[in-house]
Structure formats: C-alpha cells, structure tokens
Amino acid sequence: MKALILVGGFGTRLRPLTLSFPKPLVDFANKPMILHQIEALEAIGVSEVVLAINYQPEVMLNFLKDLEAKLGIKITCSQETEPLGTAGPLALARDKLIDDSGEPFFVLNSDVISEYPLKEMIAFHKHHGREASIMVTKVDEPSKYGVVVMEESTGEVEKFVEKPKLFVGNKINAGIYLLNPSVLDRIELRPTSIEKEVFPKIAAEKRLYAMVLPGFWMDVGQPRDYITGLRLYLDSLKKKSPSKLAAGSHIVGNVIVDETVKIGEGCLIGPDVAIGSGCVVESGVRLSRYTVMRGVRIKKHACISSSIIGWHSTVGQWARLENMTILGEDVHVCDEIYSNGGVVLPHKEIKSNIWKPEIVM
C-alpha cells in the first residue's frame, strides 16, 4: 500500500518554531510530528509514503533519507511549485500513487495527531466496498467546523455542512482518508479543495463512507492545540504503553523525558510535560503543561507552565514563563524574567519582562 501526507505550506500558525524547521519536523512528544504518522503507516504494511510539500523540501529530504533506512520504508517528495490546496497535490502525485495493484491509498493531513486506527479503516473500507472512506471525530462545538452528516448505522455520508448555525451533527472531518485510485480521475491539477469540491461530489453519488475515529484526535497546527494535543497523547500513552512515561517522586501526572536529559534535585515536573534530548533541568525547577525541544537548559528555580521552548534555548534562574509563552530556537531568557504569553522569534536575548501577550522581534 501507499500513502500521501499533505505537508503543505509555511506553518504560519506555529511560528516562531516553524521559522527554524518545516512544521512536520517540529518535535511533538519528543519526535518530529510527521514521524508519528510514518511509523503508524509502516506498522500496518504501507511500503511507500509520498510527502506533498511546497516549503523547504531540501530540509525534509535530508531528514527523511536517514528515516528511510531506519524504518525500511520508501519516502519520496512531490513538490508543488505553487500551493495546490488539499486536492491538487493528489493530482500532482498521481504517478507515484497509482500502480498495477489497484489498491486504495491513504491520505493524511500532517497536523493530525491521533491513535491512527489505520488497520480498522482498511477493514471498514473493504466492508462497504465503495470509492472512498474518511475518518470523522466527535467534537463539542461543531459550529466551528465543517460537519459531516452521515447515516449512523452504515457510515454513508449524506452531505457536508460548513460551520452550521443549527445543530446538524457533531462529527467533523479528521483529516485521514482511504481512497480508491479512481478518486484521482475526479481531481484536476490546479489549486482545489478535497473537502469542499471532491468529497461532496462523491457523497452525492453515495460512494463516500465515514468511520468514527476511536480514541483521541487533535489538529496540533497551533500552539494552544499543540499543548492540548500533548495532554491527549500522553493520556493515550498511559493506557497503551505506560512504561514509556517517566516515574519518580519528582514526577506528577503524565510526563515523557528523553533518556539523555539531566534533572537536578528538588524539581517538580508535570502534568503533561515533554522534555527532549540533551536538555538540562537544574535544581528546584517547576514545569507543567509544557514542551521543551532538544538541547535546552532550564536554570535553577525557574517556573514554566503552558509554554513551548524551542531548540537550544536557555531559561534563567527564577524566571517565570506562562500563558502560552513560546520561545523560538536559540532564545536566552535572563534571570528573574517574567513572560505572560510572549512569543519570541529565534536568536534573541530577553532582558526585560513581557507583561502581556506580544510578539518579540
């Protein structure tokens, strides 16, 4: 089987982290976002993954060369010269996706983190025998999304309603699809939307079915959702592989810590924390709802919550960072500094307090 991952554009919603790396290579729970998806695809026997990309392809390809050898899966890029939306990239990669087997192929949005029940999706697709399957997930506020209206017992999709004012259902597109090769005949090579242009036509012909996603789901393409996604991911990890979580008197709730991390005495870490490789956490530090990328140093008695710290940054002694403070790569926060929602671009030194949410250039 083959799969296409829609990597897309510039990752503007996740800046300043995406100023250093393309979004799929930004760490999530201590490994690049896209690796979660590629590993899930490899685990169910997908032999080739095509990345649809239009930004920093060289960086992606260098990273993926190492990955190919490690996972034993073929990874290629399909590069757009102009943004083609969510359907155009399928037309562009047509020759890479179609072979003599006639097998369906997966399409995934690169922002999506879930338990990836791909094996179950293959069984669902074979069972209904139609042209396309999409994964849907239940949400509390369907009015913020495009809602998928479906026949509950069979999964047959009736229609799509964009940001409904009145309640029509609580299931939204989860950004994971399994498509027969014939779907590619419906897509022109131009900027076009699979959700708004392609799927409604297939649904009108009663050839589109939706499977309700078991377990958690999150689009982690922006910081607040990234932190929520980390909590859901760690909850899931606790149920499925609790041995991967950190343990000890200094750990509260679900925490994931790379084996190379050094942690000092008297720290309190958690809940919902991920600490990447090569980090140093000095004594008396308090961390909660927080991600720290590779090579970061947190100095004594710093207190950090609801924040993301980029690669090779430093947080000074007694500093306090909170309320979605985001530090880009190589940012150095001086001792005793307070940040309330500061978003700091890479390669900066912060010498004065950030009293209210703002971008620091």
Side-chain angles (χ1 to χ4, degrees):
M1 287 187 80
K2 298 186 178 186
L4 178 110
I5 301 178
L6 293 165
V7 173
F10 305 110
T12 49
R13 298 179 304 159
L14 210 52
R15 284 180 182 164
L17 302 169
T18 48
L19 295 173
S20 299
F21 291 92
K23 182 173 57 180
L25 299 189
V26 171
D27 297 336
F28 178 88
N30 291 358
K31 59 185 170 190
M33 267 185 216
I34 201 160
L35 189 48
H36 292 272
Q37 300 187 327
I38 292 174
E39 285 178 347
L41 290 163
E42 189 267 338
I44 56 139
V46 168
S47 58
E48 183 174 347
V49 175
V50 181
L51 304 182
I53 185 167
N54 65 19
Y55 177 57
Q56 292 187 315
E58 315 77 24
V59 184
M60 288 288 290
L61 280 169
N62 289 339
F63 166 78
L64 295 165
K65 272 185 196 130
D66 299 340
L67 198 58
E68 260 191 324
K70 229 180 270 178
L71 289 178
I73 186 171
K74 187 179 177 188
I75 303 171
T76 56
C77 277
S78 172
Q79 192 186 348
E80 304 164 36
T81 51
E82 60 166 332
L84 290 171
T86 52
L90 277 72
L92 187 66
R94 181 189 177 98
D95 292 345
K96 293 176 188 282
L97 293 170
I98 285 192
D99 56 25
D100 299 334
S101 71
E103 284 285 315
F105 58 88
F106 280 103
V107 177
L108 286 81
N109 286 343
S110 66
D111 292 349
V112 168
I113 292 289
S114 77
E115 286 169 8
Y116 306 115
L118 305 179
K119 203 171 183 179
E120 296 88 327
M121 196 174 191
I122 293 170
F124 173 78
H125 187 76
K126 282 183 176 161
H127 180 258
H128 69 68
R130 296 296 200 276
E131 195 171 9
S133 300
I134 66 173
M135 201 82 83
V136 295
T137 186
K138 293 177 183 175
V139 291
D140 294 332
E141 291 184 61
S143 60
K144 286 167 39 180
Y145 304 93
V147 172
V148 180
V149 181
M150 58 189 270
E151 162 57 49
E152 294 294 329
S153 58
T154 63
E156 185 183 302
V157 175
E158 295 168 11
K159 61 181 176 178
F160 296 83
V161 183
E162 191 60 35
K163 295 184 179 171
K165 298 269 190 296
L166 299 171
F167 184 85
V168 293
N170 65 347
K171 296 178 189 72
I172 66 163
N173 181 345
I176 301 172
Y177 319 130
L178 187 55
L179 311 176
N180 287 354
S182 58
V183 171
L184 295 172
D185 299 333
R186 299 173 177 268
I187 303 171
E188 295 174 32
L189 183 52
R190 61 177 175 83
T192 173
S193 163
I194 199 165
E195 303 87 353
K196 292 178 181 168
E197 295 177 63
V198 181
F199 286 156
K201 286 178 184 167
I202 303 176
E205 296 173 21
K206 301 188 180 303
R207 298 179 64 78
L208 179 67
Y209 279 67
M211 173 183 157
V212 180
L213 179 87
F216 80 98
W217 175 89
M218 200 71 213
D219 175 334
V220 293
Q222 51 192 342
R224 204 168 289 281
D225 294 340
Y226 177 107
I227 294 288
T228 303
L230 180 65
R231 174 174 61 77
L232 297 171
Y233 175 85
L234 294 176
D235 275 348
S236 168
L237 205 58
K238 185 180 182 182
K239 291 182 194 124
K240 295 196 162 187
S241 310
S243 60
K244 291 182 181 175
L245 295 173
S249 58
H250 61 299
I251 300 291
V252 182
N254 298 333
V255 173
I256 188 167
V257 178
D258 187 89
E259 58 194 13
T260 59
V261 172
K262 293 180 178 150
I263 296 177
E265 293 179 4
C267 292
L268 192 58
I269 296 172
D272 308 325
V273 170
I275 305 177
S277 63
C279 291
V280 176
V281 180
E282 295 183 2
S283 59
V285 165
R286 175 73 179 105
L287 307 174
S288 63
R289 297 183 308 284
Y290 162 80
T291 285
V292 53
M293 310 289 179
R294 299 181 300 276
V296 167
R297 178 176 286 268
I298 312 288
K299 295 188 178 176
K300 293 176 184 175
H301 307 295
C303 178
I304 308 174
S305 64
S306 301
S307 298
I308 304 173
I309 309 299
W311 308 267
H312 309 294
S313 294
T314 310
V315 177
Q317 297 183 35
W318 296 100
R320 184 181 182 96
L321 313 182
E322 59 190 18
N323 190 25
M324 296 314 304
T325 289
I326 303 168
L327 307 185
E329 181 184 15
D330 181 39
V331 169
H332 302 283
V333 175
C334 293
D335 294 350
E336 299 178 26
I337 290 294
Y338 172 66
S339 170
N340 172 22
V343 174
V344 184
L345 272 64
H347 315 299
K348 300 251 348 142
E349 186 177 26
I350 300 299
K351 296 179 179 175
S352 54
N353 294 331
I354 302 169
W355 293 109
K356 63 183 194 302
E358 62 175 295
I359 296 171
V360 180
M361 308 284 279

